Amino acid sequence: MDLVLLGNKLKRYREQFQASHADLAVATGIDEDQLRAFEGGQATPSGDEILILADYYKCDYKFFVSNEKSAPFEQTETLFRLHGNDLSREDRWSIQEFLFLCECEEFLEQVVPQLQRKRFSFVPSGTFYKRHGVECASALRKHLGYRPNEIVPNVYADLRKIGIHVFPRKLANSNISGLFILHPVAGNCVLVNYDEDVYRQRFTAAHEAGHAILDTDAQVVISFAWPAGELREVRANTFAANFLVPPQFLASIPNCDEWDEQKGVQYARMLAVSPVALAVGLKEAGLIDDTTFSVIRNAKVPPEAKEDPELPGSLSPRGRDRKKTLLARGLSDYYVGLCFDAYDQHQLTAGRLTEMMLLSGPNELNELAVLYGRNLQYGG
């Protein structure tokens, strides 16, 4: 074991998450002086101590004891260096836990496959970035079997089909819509800020997918709620708009020269996008003028009218609140289902199941099993 290399990794990881030696000692039970010695390359941690530190940083222990790039260390370091002022300590840990879920999901999809993957790639040509977005969205819709005027019912399922790990996660910084990170093990990973409106979350998922597909030279991209006119952001926005609001559908809307707020709300709900996204799509397609654009843009879809597929009306108020808390931590129905299926097939112990779902212990695991109607067969 290269103690100098190990110490450097430990020190840089601790600094990434703005933790002191005292914080780390409390969380791990390892003495502060011993932690300093590890970071200085002056002491060799035991196998148990390596596992404890890997668990704390939510990464594969092999990252510390080898040269394998088994953790998204460089990606988070780059992200925090470029956007450190925008990311609190809390949000840094949220991002690290999101990446842990992505790695777990990659493993789970191999042991209990539920989706038939349809890998997708697109090579843009020319230098007109908006055209890249339009052509890529059209190619992906065709790849997934959509008709030109068909509405996308579940963007999250579509992204999973093409191998993108997508998770909700609430960030304290509401100015961040989402981010894309290329994980060395899990591949393309997309975080959608659960602090956003449900329609905005859907658009953000598609937007970040645009980065994952088109920005193949990028390891990390963070998107803000009000992005600057940077060309890659324009391209990702154009991709998302054309994937979710296909021009062929817009052209088929009856009486497209007659709009009021009620009609704007009707079609925004149908497409599950904001009236702003609808208005932009219609304007880009040359179907409305500036006056009509303003009418549609200013329409408001009532919050209670926006359906979240993860929160069906059949849930009790308590169950709904509980699921919202879980979603804010990244626990989607799809991921939770994968975890329990792996457990049912004896691919996971109850302890590992608890860890993979970021739960505090057996009591919380039992509560989650009841909420999802699952049984803990053994070791629960």
Side-chain angles (χ1 to χ4, degrees):
M1 188 185 302
D2 186 330
L3 295 184
V4 174
L5 180 61
L6 170 63
N8 180 261
K9 289 178 179 179
L10 289 170
K11 182 175 185 293
R12 287 163 65 192
Y13 239 155
R14 179 177 56 77
E15 290 174 347
Q16 278 192 39
F17 298 101
Q18 301 176 329
S20 66
H21 289 106
D23 295 330
L24 194 53
V26 169
T28 63
I30 302 172
D31 183 75
E32 281 188 57
D33 290 338
Q34 191 76 336
L35 291 168
R36 289 190 179 89
F38 293 160
E39 289 186 6
Q42 299 163 343
T44 304
S46 67
D48 284 345
E49 287 169 331
I50 289 289
L51 292 174
I52 290 169
L53 290 165
D55 180 63
Y56 175 76
Y57 288 116
K58 294 287 185 287
C59 71
D60 190 325
Y61 77 93
K62 292 192 290 291
F63 168 72
F64 289 124
V65 298
S66 72
N67 289 323
E68 286 186 35
K69 292 188 176 182
S70 55
F73 176 80
E74 294 175 0
Q75 289 83 352
T76 51
E77 190 168 59
T78 298
L79 175 65
F80 300 156
R81 183 178 70 251
L82 294 176
H83 301 283
N85 292 335
D86 299 304
L87 294 165
S88 65
R89 181 178 177 181
E90 176 188 357
D91 281 347
R92 292 173 186 228
W93 278 114
S94 293
I95 291 168
Q96 188 72 349
E97 288 186 346
F98 147 72
L99 290 166
F100 170 75
L101 294 180
C102 291
E103 188 172 350
C104 291
E105 186 173 85
E106 179 70 15
F107 163 77
L108 292 167
E109 287 180 335
Q110 293 176 27
V111 298
V112 285
Q114 292 189 352
L115 291 173
Q116 185 173 0
R117 288 275 179 87
K118 297 185 68 175
R119 297 288 183 180
F120 175 77
S121 62
F122 180 85
V123 180
S125 61
T127 57
F128 186 24
Y129 274 50
K130 289 190 74 171
R131 183 181 296 137
H132 297 169
V134 172
E135 293 175 349
C136 183
S138 177
L140 178 56
R141 287 175 59 85
K142 184 177 181 180
H143 177 78
L144 292 169
Y146 286 115
R147 297 185 302 276
N149 65 342
E150 189 174 354
I151 295 172
V152 173
N154 189 331
V155 65
Y156 304 99
D158 284 339
L159 299 189
R160 293 180 184 119
K161 284 178 188 174
I162 63 172
I164 296 176
H165 298 285
V166 54
F167 284 87
R169 180 73 194 217
K170 186 172 182 178
L171 298 177
N173 187 343
S174 59
N175 290 322
I176 297 173
S177 294
L179 57 88
F180 154 69
I181 294 180
L182 183 60
H183 192 295
V185 174
N188 292 329
C189 300
V190 163
L191 180 152
V192 176
N193 192 350
Y194 194 67
D195 187 59
E196 291 197 312
D197 163 90
V198 65
Y199 284 2
R200 180 65 193 177
Q201 289 178 44
R202 179 175 152 88
F203 195 91
T204 294
H207 177 99
E208 299 306 326
H211 286 306
I213 297 166
L214 291 163
D215 297 330
T216 54
D217 60 336
Q219 297 274 313
V220 174
V221 179
I222 189 167
S223 299
F224 293 90
W226 304 106
E230 199 269 329
L231 286 176
R232 291 190 180 195
E233 290 298 316
V234 171
R235 181 166 65 181
N237 240 27
T238 303
F239 166 83
N242 281 266
F243 185 69
L244 297 175
V245 190
Q248 293 89 339
F249 172 84
L250 298 178
S252 70
I253 296 175
N255 303 317
C256 209
D257 57 340
E258 298 176 9
W259 287 88
D260 56 20
E261 287 193 14
Q262 184 177 356
K263 186 175 179 180
V265 168
Q266 175 191 348
Y267 279 93
R269 289 188 64 192
M270 194 178 298
L271 290 158
V273 298
S274 70
V276 174
L278 172 62
V280 170
L282 288 164
K283 191 73 166 63
E284 291 278 336
L287 296 170
I288 58 172
D289 58 22
D290 290 342
T291 301
T292 306
F293 174 85
S294 296
V295 170
I296 300 171
R297 187 184 190 284
N298 292 325
K300 302 293 182 187
V301 179
E304 64 274 10
K306 298 178 181 180
E307 298 177 5
D308 186 339
E310 299 268 0
L311 299 170
S314 57
L315 285 172
S316 67
R318 185 175 181 275
R320 184 180 180 85
D321 288 344
R322 179 61 176 140
K323 279 200 72 176
K324 287 178 74 173
T325 299
L326 294 169
L327 286 165
R329 288 159 59 182
L331 300 183
S332 64
D333 284 351
Y334 174 74
Y335 181 76
V336 171
L338 275 178
C339 288
F340 276 117
D341 287 349
Y343 171 79
D344 290 342
Q345 295 178 31
H346 294 229
Q347 299 287 344
L348 300 178
T349 64
R352 182 61 175 154
L353 178 67
T354 301
E355 179 184 332
M356 279 190 164
M357 293 198 288
L358 304 173
L359 304 176
S360 59
N363 290 339
E364 196 173 15
L365 176 60
N366 284 322
E367 289 177 8
L368 192 63
V370 170
L371 180 63
Y372 278 87
R374 307 297 287 251
N375 295 316
L376 295 173
Q377 301 284 345
Y378 64 98

